Amino acid sequence: MEDTPRLELKSLIVDDDREQDDLDSSIAAMDALLAKSEAVLHDIRFTKPEAKGNLIYDEDWDEEERLGEWLQVVSRNAHYPALLQCVIALDSWNTLQVFQHGNWLGRLLAASLLRQRHLVTCQHLPALNLSLKLVSREDRTTRDTNVRLRNLLGGIRAMAEFGLKEHDRLSLAHQMMSRHLVGRRSSSRLPQLINLVLSKPIVSTDMAARHLKITQRAALRLIEELNLREVTGRGRFRAWGIL
């Protein structure tokens, strides 16, 4: 009877030793992981970046210096109106040629200046970008800075006027199509189809059916009720719009 407590005590000691060994092994694994992570971070901090290929990049092209000059231009003109500041930032980016292969980034950075002042939304940015297509390359690259800025502002104004005309056209189309809603039930899918047509350049039968969650035959019948313009001229795979 006296040997039983000794055996139990011995088994407890063995279990404690095993738990201690498991704990030591877990701590050792954690230490190894921390050491490996520290080595990776050390490589990231102190390893020099790989040299760019001379075939694509010019070694004498100091992008950091050019970027610093561009930031100075932006800070000097921060007191100007937002649109003028945006145009100056875009023009200076193109003139300084900050990045050898990142000319497109200037348009995004210039647009971000307008977003910082909460003057535009995501819907305005494509219009600002498309307005540059209205300005010829010769007008955008002339040596006279004032002429370049005037041409860029003129392109934005022309695009804004085009947007207002497009808004009037869509508003008129909405009024014309809304006449078909007279006498309709509240559960009719026709209002949803009108919103879909106004939000998309062209609408196919499959698009309307998936958006309205109806059959293609029912979608085709609703499209015919609106008297939309068929733009493909085909018997199959047809599409409609208010172009």
Side-chain angles (χ1 to χ4, degrees):
M1 297 295 294
E2 295 180 356
D3 294 338
T4 302
R6 294 180 181 178
L7 293 175
E8 293 178 355
L9 180 60
K10 185 176 181 180
S11 62
L12 291 175
I13 294 174
V14 172
D15 293 338
D16 291 340
D17 293 339
R18 291 178 179 175
E19 292 179 358
Q20 185 65 32
D21 293 339
D22 294 338
L23 180 60
D24 293 340
S25 61
S26 300
I27 294 176
M30 293 176 62
D31 291 338
L33 180 60
L34 291 175
K36 184 177 180 180
S37 302
E38 185 65 25
V40 173
L41 292 176
H42 182 275
D43 293 339
I44 294 176
R45 292 172 185 169
F46 300 102
T47 301
K48 295 183 179 180
E50 297 181 359
K52 298 179 180 179
N54 297 333
L55 182 62
I56 302 177
Y57 294 92
D58 185 3
E59 294 182 352
D60 298 331
W61 198 291
D62 194 344
E63 294 182 346
E64 294 184 0
E65 181 180 357
R66 293 170 185 250
L67 181 59
E69 294 179 7
W70 181 79
L71 292 175
Q72 291 178 3
V73 172
V74 173
S75 62
R76 285 199 306 266
N77 299 283
H79 61 283
Y80 286 154
L83 187 57
L84 182 58
Q85 182 186 3
C86 171
V87 172
I88 293 176
L90 178 59
D91 178 72
S92 61
W93 182 276
N94 296 332
T95 304
L96 294 173
Q97 297 181 357
V98 181
F99 293 153
Q100 299 184 55
H101 303 283
N103 192 37
W104 55 270
L105 187 59
R107 296 190 292 271
L108 299 181
L109 295 176
S112 67
L113 298 176
L114 297 178
R115 285 201 301 269
Q116 289 178 358
R117 298 195 180 186
H118 305 286
L119 296 179
V120 297
T121 62
C122 295
Q123 288 76 17
H124 292 84
L125 299 181
L128 292 175
N129 197 14
L130 291 174
S131 65
L132 299 178
K133 294 184 177 181
L134 301 178
V135 183
S136 63
R137 180 177 178 83
E138 291 76 12
D139 294 336
R140 284 187 281 112
T141 58
T142 182
R143 294 184 178 181
D144 193 337
T145 304
N146 294 330
V147 174
R148 292 198 307 268
L149 297 179
R150 191 183 307 116
N151 292 332
L152 291 175
L153 290 173
I156 294 177
R157 178 179 179 178
M159 197 64 197
E161 293 175 350
F162 174 80
L164 291 176
K165 293 180 181 179
E166 186 69 9
H167 178 269
D168 294 339
R169 186 180 71 88
L170 294 177
S171 298
L172 179 60
H174 182 267
Q175 294 178 4
M176 297 295 292
M177 290 187 293
S178 296
R179 296 179 180 178
H180 297 277
L181 300 179
V182 178
R184 288 278 178 174
R185 296 180 180 178
S186 59
S187 59
S188 175
R189 303 295 179 88
L190 199 58
Q192 301 179 28
L193 178 60
I194 293 176
N195 294 332
L196 177 63
V197 172
L198 292 174
S199 62
K200 303 292 183 181
I202 57 175
V203 175
S204 64
T205 308
D206 183 62
M207 290 174 57
R210 285 188 285 107
H211 182 77
L212 303 178
K213 297 180 180 180
I214 57 178
T215 62
Q216 293 189 6
R217 183 177 296 275
L220 181 60
R221 185 168 60 251
L222 291 177
I223 291 174
E224 291 176 350
E225 291 183 9
L226 289 180
N227 296 324
L228 296 177
R229 179 182 177 184
E230 207 281 324
V231 296
T232 60
R234 303 176 57 180
R236 301 179 60 186
F237 305 107
R238 294 186 296 171
W240 293 263
I242 52 175
L243 303 176

